[in-house]
Amino acid sequence: MPLAQYFNESLRPCSGRRYWSSVSREPLALCDLKAEVSPRISAEDLIDLCELSMAGPSKRTKAGKPKIIAVDIRSVEDFGRGHISGSINIPFSTAFSPDGELVQCPSTGILQNYRGRVIVIISHAIKIGVMFAVHLVTVNFQRVCILDGGINKLKPTGLLTVPSPQI
């Protein structure tokens, strides 16, 4: 798919519009957007697309599989401190083999089941998210986008889940 068509058919934030809420993103120049392999998605749109609430995600396809998957690429420890309900953790440091292939593990197996669906990369820093997205696109994942502002944009929403300690 040509890049211009991808931006035209992608999620709202690709247009660079300004949004009113505190979780929205800063506008980016069109030339910056075109330079990225994967578009950015605002926290506001992620919340909307995943229908996130205190009850958890619920937007699903007719087959019962969520329409969108959030992939948190932070470390296992950071993921355990708070993450989006329903997201999967694939730490960037262990996700790819030296030859660039996705390492096989339970989480990457789940990700394989979402080929063709929207995949949102969540990280601490945009640069790390961009690198992970480039790797995914290189191994033929489509519809990969990056949470603009990373996990820090979601912290003020109160939607992050912290697992209960095992006793």
Side-chain angles (χ1 to χ4, degrees):
M1 174 185 303
L3 186 59
Q5 181 184 357
Y6 184 72
F7 282 115
N8 289 336
E9 295 177 4
S10 292
L11 305 169
R12 287 187 301 189
C14 293
S15 67
R17 294 182 197 157
R18 291 182 185 221
Y19 294 95
W20 55 270
S21 89
S22 63
V23 295
S24 64
R25 59 189 300 281
E26 294 298 318
L28 294 173
L30 184 58
C31 62
D32 293 336
L33 287 173
K34 286 182 176 180
E36 294 184 353
V37 171
S38 298
R40 297 181 187 193
I41 181 174
S42 69
E44 186 174 67
D45 284 333
L46 179 64
I47 291 166
D48 181 52
L49 286 170
C50 290
E51 293 182 353
L52 290 173
S53 67
M54 297 312 250
S58 62
K59 194 170 265 192
R60 300 192 177 272
T61 63
K62 291 178 183 175
K65 191 183 290 185
K67 291 182 177 182
I68 187 170
I69 184 138
V71 178
D72 194 320
I73 63 170
R74 299 174 300 143
S75 68
V76 173
E77 295 80 22
D78 287 341
F79 184 79
R81 290 187 195 113
H83 58 274
I84 296 172
S85 180
S87 64
I88 59 172
N89 183 226
I90 304 176
F92 189 20
S93 60
T94 60
F96 298 95
S97 65
D99 62 350
E101 293 297 316
L102 200 57
V103 173
Q104 295 303 310
C105 68
S107 293
T108 58
I110 293 169
L111 184 60
Q112 294 284 358
N113 292 331
Y114 283 87
R115 272 190 194 273
R117 299 191 192 279
V118 176
I119 299 169
V120 180
I121 307 301
I122 300 171
S123 64
H124 279 301
I126 286 292
K127 288 183 181 181
I128 302 295
V130 168
M131 288 190 303
F132 192 90
V134 167
H135 280 294
L136 282 183
V137 170
T138 302
V139 294
N140 297 318
F141 279 87
Q142 300 174 356
R143 297 183 173 189
V144 178
C145 55
I146 304 154
L147 178 62
D148 191 44
I151 194 73
N152 291 329
K153 285 287 186 171
L154 293 173
K155 286 180 180 176
T157 67
L159 295 173
L160 297 182
T161 302
V162 179
S164 300
Q166 298 295 324
I167 298 177

